[in-house]
Amino acid sequence: MMIKILIVDDKTENIYLLQSMLDTNGFKTISAKNGAEALGLLRTVIPDLIIADILMPVMDGFTLCRECKKDELLKNIPFFFYTATYTDSKDEEYALSLGADRFILKPQDPDDFMKIINDFLNEVKKKTVHPKDTIQQTEDIVLKEYNEVLIRKIEDKMLQTEKAEKELRRYAEQLEKEILERKKNESSLRNSEEYNRLLFTTSPVGLALCSMDGSLIDINPAYARIIGRTIEEVLKLKYWDITPEKYMVQEAEQLKILKETGHYGKYEKEYIHKDGHLVPVLLQGLILDRDGDHFVWSSVEDITERKKAEIALKESQHLFQTLSQVSPVGIFRTTADGKTTYVNPKWTELSGLSHEEALDSGWLKAVHPEDGGKLSESWIKNLKSKNESSAEYRFLHSDGSLKWVLGKAVPEMVGNDIVGYIGTITDITKRKLAEEDLQINEKQLSTIYKTVGDVIYYLVIESEGVYRFISVSQTFYNVTGLSPEMIIGKLVTDVIPEPSLSVVLGKYKQAIEEKTNIKWEETSEYPTGKLIGEVCINPVIDRNGICTHLVGSVHDITSMKLAEEELTKAKDKAEESDRLKTAFLHNISHEIRTPMNSIVGFSELITDPDLTSETRNEFIKTIVQSSNQLLSIISQIVSMATLEAGQVLIYEKEVSLNSICKIVFDQLRSEAIGKNISLKYNTALPENEDKIITDETKLIQVISNLLGNALKFTKTGSIDFGYVVKANYLEFYFNDTGIGIPNDLQEKIFERFRQVELSLTREYEGSGLGLSISKGYIELLGGKIWLTSTLGEGSKFYFTIPYMKASLNKISEEKLTDKYVLKKTITILVAEDESNNFKLLTKYLSNDHIVVLHACNGIEAVEICKKSKQINLVLMDLKMPEMDGFEATKRIKVFRPDLPVIAQTAYARDVDKTKAFSCGCSDFLSKPYKKEELLTMINEYLTSA
Ligand code: ADP
């Protein structure tokens, strides 16, 4: 029998749902819409189970349950509550307390629900369960509890209703919104379709829709463009028509992936362009379902440019790689703080490190320890300034060898920051070695430059005819007197003076044109004076055969040349001298022979006893004149020799100028009268102020010479002489109206042996020595001598001497006027070994007041002096046997220091005079001397004594 189940629920769908479930499981169901209807139904039908909702109109489930449990007929019918409203445990508790068998909450999984039903019914069948007894409670309590539950439920329900209402409102609003949205969407959908179409047509990316078999259904213009066709043309093709054969395998794979996953790509392939070339493309796509059909929707990107760029990049990478591999310079890359990230093979070769060893800071190990500091300093400096860095340093290899490199690095910038460096190192070892060699060479060159005797200079040829000094030897400065600033870097035209410059430039040009060295002799004027040099200029030819530099040398031959010149002059002079000497010898032999002839001739004649005393006196006079003439000649020769030997000494003493003039005037007056020539003299100083300090003998000799010449070379007219005072010197003059002297000889006649007239048949006698002796003496006295003359009209000779006034010490008039008259007896010792000389002296001294003693040598002289204390004066010949006059004087002076000793000698050398004075002699007489000279001197000593 089918089990009948009463379903009580106010909701039709609930009843329908339960009925469906229970029917499906083989139960029979009846239903009521509320408790009251159920109770009515239960009058006619007794079900096996009642399943009731709780909250229902007319009569709720609780009341139904309570009514059933109160009814004897109904109380054993199992009662299940099935509720979605009463979910509280208290509700369950209350429901069970009313006698309900199960309290099932809605919704319940159909299987679970059916299991609960079946399990319960099985238990009922097995009689393991009995319909529950109702807990008999009083009506009041039941009502009260029921009411509480109900009120609570109503409250809940109200809350739920409110909530539901709210929910409903919200839903309504939502719905309204949705409706609006939908309306909007509908229009945007329409817009979006247009938009999509627009996108499709304007997209730069190719888009294509094709069927799974490869038929192209729709494509955009970009797609058509990629393969160089119109859309219409493309749509006639299949996908496979534009895919090269080689991609078929790949395409099959992609198709497989597409089918498995619904999409494919991205992947690269090529399309066949209309013109046949292949266009690289990047593809991706997905499967589209349209009305159950599958389509492939693809996007295609033309990657020609990218591919080109990739190829270019690859090429550039390849290029870099190749260059880097074969580069003759080392290449490196570092981080900003100098950590190496890359080096090329050349770098490793130069550093001696492997690529791995060089990485990071490893490269520093290879840098020479002395250069490391310098290198990092410059690195830091450049890092700060963000400059390109450049440094020369050394790599020290493990085998001890060195490599010099020039390292250059440029910063790699990102924005303003240095992120690293890329640089090169170039092997400069050879250059460095060459530089070292160059330095050594330069040192050597500079040493050569400093020490070489010749002038050496190095010129650069800047352009035609433009030569600039690069370097010169030290001798260049020494010889020219120019400083380095005046030469180095200067043009030849600024350094070498004309007229040498023109010659030099011509020679340079010749050397360059002929490409050979040129030698010549050159004379230049520099601040240091004249430079005569043997110049040699060598062109320096470069490898192109062009002359780039000139090396010049100058061998200074100035002194050699000057010596040569001097030699030539000396030779000329010697030849001239020789000529003059020959002439002189002729003259002199004439000058000597003439008086000698007279002396010898008349000396013979004078012995003739038949001569009258008048004739004899005439002869004697001639002999005396000739002797004087001879003496004068010999004196001149001796004076000249002494002058030339540089042995003339000056003996200065107080001299009366006017007296000297008078003496010379007196000597020549008679000769002038004889020639009918007017002879006058003039003295500028008054008698008592005419004393000066000078060498009297020499002054007299000069005046005599000049006056003698005037007289000799004047036939008629007049001669006047004298002196004038000029500032601090005295000027003597000698004017004559004689023959005059030609201009070209006016200077030369002061040379020894010079005479205007050199012929053998000359009219004027003379040795040609007078003027040169006069010149020598005047210069020794501190003056000069000159002349002016007009040929045929006369000559004017002048000389000067210093005007050194003497103190007003008067020379006794007496001495001069009475010079030969001695008033008291005096004793004179004559030391003379030559008996003739002694005889002559005895004659000179024959006077009543003079006693003459004779000593034949020095020893005798000393002895006599010792014995004869009365000796007042000694005339000492210097050259004597046994003991000479020097020694004898010395000895005499020991015991007679005040005794005047007058030396006399035929050696009229000044050295002898000096020696005599140093031995104690008071004065000196050169033999031969005249009687007057002797007596004047004796008078001088004995009067002052
Ligand atoms: P010397 O008179 O013995 O020949 P000097 O040396 O005194 O030698 O003079 C040299 C030359 O100078 C003379 O030979 C003469 O030619 C010339 N001379 C000197 N003085 C005069 C003068 N007053 N008038 C003309 N010629 C003179």
Side-chain angles (χ1 to χ4, degrees):
M1 202 174 92
M2 274 180 101
I3 293 169
K4 241 185 276 167
I5 296 173
L6 172 60
I7 301 163
V8 187
D9 203 315
D10 59 336
K11 304 259 170 42
T12 320
E13 66 267 26
N14 285 349
I15 293 170
Y16 176 73
L17 188 65
L18 280 174
Q19 274 182 331
S20 307
M21 268 199 293
L22 293 166
D23 288 352
T24 325
N25 282 287
F27 297 102
K28 193 175 172 192
T29 52
I30 50 174
S31 64
K33 292 232 167 145
N34 55 53
E37 200 181 306
L39 278 175
L41 205 67
L42 284 168
R43 305 278 176 241
T44 56
V45 185
I46 299 293
D48 297 297
L49 180 64
I50 300 165
I51 299 171
D53 189 19
I54 295 173
L55 198 64
M56 288 176 296
V58 187
M59 182 190 282
D60 65 74
F62 287 144
T63 312
L64 176 65
C65 184
R66 208 163 49 85
E67 288 304 315
C68 286
K69 291 303 168 182
K70 276 197 307 195
D71 192 319
E72 272 310 308
L73 278 173
L74 302 175
K75 71 174 183 187
N76 289 325
I77 303 170
F79 202 101
F80 282 18
F81 280 112
Y82 186 46
T83 177
T85 317
Y86 293 84
T87 53
D88 209 280
S89 60
K90 274 185 182 170
D91 296 335
E92 187 177 4
E93 215 177 284
Y94 178 69
L96 294 177
S97 75
L98 289 175
D101 296 283
R102 292 287 184 272
F103 189 84
I104 303 167
L105 293 178
K106 279 187 203 165
Q108 197 64 234
D109 181 77
D111 290 342
D112 292 346
F113 183 78
M114 285 315 300
K115 192 170 182 295
I116 295 168
I117 303 286
N118 285 328
D119 286 353
F120 181 79
L121 290 174
N122 283 338
E123 282 173 24
V124 169
K125 218 188 256 177
K126 287 177 203 161
K127 304 236 197 270
T128 49
V129 289
H130 300 285
K132 268 174 128 183
D133 288 338
T134 46
I135 300 151
Q136 291 303 323
Q137 289 166 320
T138 64
E139 197 74 4
D140 294 346
I141 296 165
V142 170
L143 273 175
K144 187 176 160 260
E145 283 179 0
Y146 177 70
N147 281 340
E148 278 170 9
V149 171
L150 204 60
I151 287 161
R152 207 170 61 235
K153 278 303 138 193
I154 287 165
E155 281 171 357
D156 281 352
K157 211 64 190 172
M158 277 171 75
L159 280 170
Q160 273 180 7
T161 310
E162 269 173 36
K163 212 168 145 193
E165 253 179 40
K166 255 188 213 165
E167 199 63 23
L168 209 62
R169 266 203 307 281
R170 199 180 53 80
Y171 181 68
E173 280 168 17
Q174 179 80 20
L175 206 62
E176 210 174 333
K177 248 191 215 165
E178 275 177 14
I179 290 164
L180 274 170
E181 191 74 15
R182 187 169 293 179
K183 277 184 184 165
K184 220 161 98 188
N185 280 350
E186 274 172 10
S187 87
S188 80
L189 196 65
R190 273 199 310 280
N191 289 343
S192 140
E193 271 172 15
E194 281 167 25
Y195 178 68
N196 284 344
R197 197 67 215 169
L198 195 67
L199 272 183
F200 181 73
T201 49
T202 58
S203 166
V205 176
L207 299 169
L209 186 68
C210 65
S211 60
M212 293 299 281
D213 68 348
S215 305
L216 288 158
I217 297 162
D218 194 7
I219 62 156
N220 71 345
Y223 190 91
R225 265 199 309 276
I226 290 171
I227 47 179
R229 295 172 188 268
T230 63
I231 294 175
E232 292 70 35
E233 280 173 346
V234 180
L235 290 177
K236 283 178 197 152
L237 298 170
K238 277 202 162 190
Y239 177 72
W240 309 113
D241 296 333
I242 55 170
T243 297
E245 190 71 30
K246 60 182 177 180
Y247 288 105
M248 287 311 174
V249 178
Q250 184 186 324
E251 284 298 302
E253 263 171 38
Q254 290 297 329
L255 196 60
K256 197 175 153 211
I257 294 168
L258 178 68
K259 281 177 180 164
E260 280 169 10
T261 63
H263 52 80
Y264 73 94
K266 299 178 173 179
Y267 77 100
E268 288 176 13
K269 62 171 282 193
E270 285 165 314
Y271 277 167
I272 303 168
H273 192 271
K274 188 180 179 181
D275 66 12
H277 83 269
L278 300 180
V279 183
V281 288
L282 180 69
L283 289 176
Q284 65 179 327
L286 47 83
I287 291 186
L288 263 189
D289 264 340
R290 223 189 240 179
D291 304 327
D293 283 334
H294 294 315
F295 297 95
V296 184
W297 181 242
S298 303
S299 74
V300 184
E301 215 179 312
D302 182 350
I303 55 168
T304 308
E305 291 309 314
R306 203 188 82 195
K307 277 282 162 191
K308 274 188 196 163
E310 273 177 19
I311 290 166
L313 186 69
K314 263 189 199 152
E315 275 176 3
S316 130
Q317 277 173 345
H318 178 70
L319 182 69
F320 167 73
Q321 209 62 32
T322 313
L323 285 178
S324 176
Q325 292 297 314
V326 300
S327 167
V329 297
I331 299 171
F332 64 87
R333 190 177 192 181
T334 71
T335 58
D337 55 356
K339 296 204 165 123
T340 303
T341 52
Y342 171 80
V343 290
N344 75 337
K346 187 68 186 180
W347 194 98
T348 59
E349 183 198 315
L350 290 175
S351 67
L353 293 180
S354 68
H355 184 274
E356 286 65 35
E357 284 170 326
L359 292 178
D360 209 275
S361 299
W363 68 278
L364 275 168
K365 278 184 286 196
V367 176
H368 193 288
E370 286 172 17
D371 297 346
K374 189 178 70 183
L375 195 60
S376 50
E377 254 174 53
S378 95
W379 186 286
I380 291 163
K381 205 174 86 197
N382 288 309
L383 193 67
K384 274 186 191 156
S385 63
K386 296 178 182 172
N387 276 342
E388 181 185 316
S389 69
S390 168
E392 290 182 359
Y393 53 94
R394 286 164 292 174
F395 280 127
L396 181 58
H397 289 208
S398 52
D399 62 0
S401 62
L402 281 175
K403 277 271 183 245
W404 267 102
V405 293
L406 166 66
K408 285 191 166 191
V410 286
E412 278 191 274
M413 307 290 293
V414 170
N416 244 354
D417 298 324
I418 294 178
V419 293
Y421 282 90
I422 294 180
T424 58
I425 54 168
T426 311
D427 187 354
I428 54 164
T429 312
K430 274 187 190 156
R431 195 195 88 196
K432 279 283 173 186
L433 293 177
E435 275 176 11
E436 274 171 24
D437 283 353
L438 202 68
Q439 270 176 3
I440 293 169
N441 282 347
E442 273 177 7
K443 247 187 199 164
Q444 287 170 346
L445 194 67
S446 115
T447 314
I448 291 171
Y449 267 179
K450 273 184 201 147
T451 52
V452 71
D454 284 353
V455 169
I456 296 178
Y457 57 92
Y458 190 46
L459 302 169
V460 60
I461 305 169
E462 291 191 342
S463 57
E464 202 185 320
V466 180
Y467 314 99
R468 198 177 288 280
F469 281 98
I470 294 179
S471 57
V472 301
S473 60
Q474 180 60 39
T475 39
F476 200 109
Y477 305 127
N478 302 345
V479 163
T480 60
L482 300 174
S483 66
E485 297 75 44
M486 296 159 89
I487 301 169
I488 305 301
K490 299 281 185 253
L491 294 175
V492 164
T493 43
D494 296 333
V495 177
I496 298 177
E498 283 291 10
S500 327
L501 180 64
S502 310
V503 180
V504 163
L505 292 179
K507 298 287 183 187
Y508 288 178
K509 196 167 175 232
Q510 188 189 347
I512 293 164
E513 280 170 4
E514 294 175 10
K515 292 187 178 167
T516 181
N517 60 341
I518 304 287
K519 287 180 182 168
W520 76 100
E521 204 174 290
E522 186 59 48
T523 306
S524 320
E525 286 288 341
Y526 289 105
T528 46
K530 197 157 93 169
L531 168 69
I532 307 169
E534 257 174 19
V535 189
C536 179
I537 194 80
N538 298 272
V540 179
I541 316 287
D542 73 3
R543 65 171 79 98
N544 301 318
I546 295 166
C547 182
T548 57
H549 294 80
L550 292 172
V551 178
S553 67
V554 184
H555 180 57
D556 185 0
I557 52 165
T558 312
S559 35
M560 196 183 91
K561 279 280 158 183
L562 290 179
E564 254 177 35
E565 274 173 30
E566 288 300 315
L567 216 62
T568 313
K569 271 190 204 162
K571 186 174 154 256
D572 292 347
K573 211 169 168 188
E575 283 169 2
E576 172 80 353
S577 269
D578 201 41
R579 266 189 315 113
L580 291 172
K581 265 184 189 159
T582 309
F584 168 74
L585 284 175
H586 284 298
N587 287 349
I588 219 71
S589 80
H590 169 80
E591 293 297 324
I592 292 172
R593 277 173 195 281
T594 308
M596 282 290 279
N597 191 38
S598 297
I599 294 166
V600 173
F602 284 110
S603 298
E604 271 181 23
L605 290 178
I606 209 166
T607 53
D608 185 354
D610 299 333
L611 283 179
T612 63
S613 66
E614 205 174 291
T615 311
R616 189 183 306 272
N617 283 341
E618 199 59 41
F619 284 1
I620 289 168
K621 204 174 158 192
T622 309
I623 289 169
V624 171
Q625 269 178 358
S626 298
S627 299
N628 284 338
Q629 200 180 332
L630 192 61
L631 183 63
S632 154
I633 294 279
I634 289 166
S635 292
Q636 276 193 339
I637 292 169
V638 171
S639 297
M640 192 66 234
T642 318
L643 260 172
E644 284 195 348
Q647 289 177 339
V648 177
L649 295 176
I650 299 296
Y651 300 99
E652 289 182 325
K653 62 176 188 181
E654 192 177 287
V655 173
S656 165
L657 287 175
N658 295 354
S659 301
I660 288 175
C661 289
K662 188 172 183 304
I663 288 170
V664 184
F665 174 80
D666 287 344
Q667 281 173 0
L668 296 173
R669 187 172 48 178
S670 54
E671 193 182 338
I673 293 166
K675 286 181 85 175
N676 200 19
I677 289 167
S678 146
L679 178 65
K680 286 187 285 186
Y681 76 100
N682 190 38
T683 52
L685 293 169
E687 290 301 303
N688 54 350
E689 287 174 32
D690 68 332
K691 311 296 178 304
I692 61 157
I693 303 296
T694 192
D695 187 320
E696 186 179 34
T697 319
K698 294 186 176 64
L699 182 61
I700 291 174
Q701 194 170 340
V702 174
I703 295 172
S704 298
N705 280 347
L706 295 177
L707 200 58
N709 277 349
L711 205 55
K712 181 160 63 173
F713 297 104
T714 303
K715 282 179 181 158
T716 54
S718 61
I719 295 168
D720 67 300
F721 75 101
Y723 66 91
V724 291
V725 180
K726 295 225 170 150
N728 56 349
Y729 62 91
L730 299 165
E731 188 177 285
F732 285 79
Y733 62 88
F734 303 83
N735 302 335
D736 67 57
T737 55
I739 59 169
I741 300 159
N743 280 344
D744 59 326
L745 289 175
Q746 287 181 4
E747 275 194 25
K748 288 192 173 163
I749 54 163
F750 287 101
E751 292 169 13
R752 57 189 190 149
F753 311 133
R754 274 282 181 183
Q755 290 175 313
V756 172
E757 192 190 43
L758 285 174
S759 66
L760 281 174
T761 56
R762 64 203 187 117
E763 193 181 344
Y764 301 97
E765 292 176 338
S767 63
L769 291 175
L771 284 182
S772 63
I773 292 167
S774 299
K775 186 171 188 276
Y777 282 177
I778 289 302
E779 284 170 359
L780 280 173
L781 290 176
K784 55 181 185 168
I785 185 164
W786 72 99
L787 71 95
T788 59
S789 177
T790 310
L791 201 59
E793 288 184 14
S795 310
K796 293 179 179 188
F797 279 81
Y798 302 91
F799 73 82
T800 58
I801 51 166
Y803 180 26
M804 284 194 292
K805 276 187 195 170
S807 55
L808 293 171
N809 220 348
K810 277 196 171 183
I811 295 176
S812 166
E813 285 287 313
E814 218 183 357
K815 264 197 272 176
L816 287 170
T817 47
D818 304 334
K819 55 189 173 185
Y820 312 129
V821 188
L822 293 163
K823 299 211 168 89
K824 57 179 180 179
T825 302
I826 54 164
T827 304
I828 294 174
L829 171 65
V830 176
E832 175 61 80
D833 60 330
E834 281 283 334
S835 58
N836 282 341
N837 283 346
F838 178 68
K839 271 184 200 159
L840 185 66
L841 270 172
T842 319
K843 286 283 169 215
Y844 283 175
L845 297 173
S846 60
N847 184 299
D848 291 346
H849 298 287
I850 299 173
V851 176
V852 175
L853 303 178
H854 183 210
C856 293
N857 57 46
I859 298 170
E860 274 184 25
V862 178
E863 289 305 313
I864 293 169
C865 276
K866 270 185 188 165
K867 284 178 194 160
S868 313
K869 304 271 188 252
Q870 78 280 14
I871 292 174
N872 301 101
L873 188 138
V874 181
L875 281 174
M876 181 74 80
D877 185 22
L878 291 175
K879 188 179 167 291
M880 287 185 294
E882 310 280 336
M883 182 188 283
D884 64 22
F886 300 112
E887 185 58 33
T889 309
K890 254 198 242 173
R891 295 196 182 186
I892 292 165
K893 281 286 173 177
V894 173
F895 55 90
R896 289 287 305 271
D898 300 328
L899 181 66
V901 179
I902 295 170
Q904 45 153 357
T905 179
Y907 302 118
R909 297 183 309 168
D910 282 333
V911 276
D912 294 326
K913 276 188 185 178
T914 313
K915 192 175 172 187
F917 284 122
S918 70
C919 290
C921 292
S922 314
D923 219 326
F924 195 98
L925 273 171
S926 296
K927 289 182 192 172
Y929 48 79
K930 291 178 182 167
K931 184 182 174 187
E932 290 81 358
E933 285 178 70
L934 174 68
L935 293 180
T936 306
M937 198 171 279
I938 291 169
N939 185 45
E940 196 175 303
Y941 281 97
L942 295 183
T943 315
S944 60

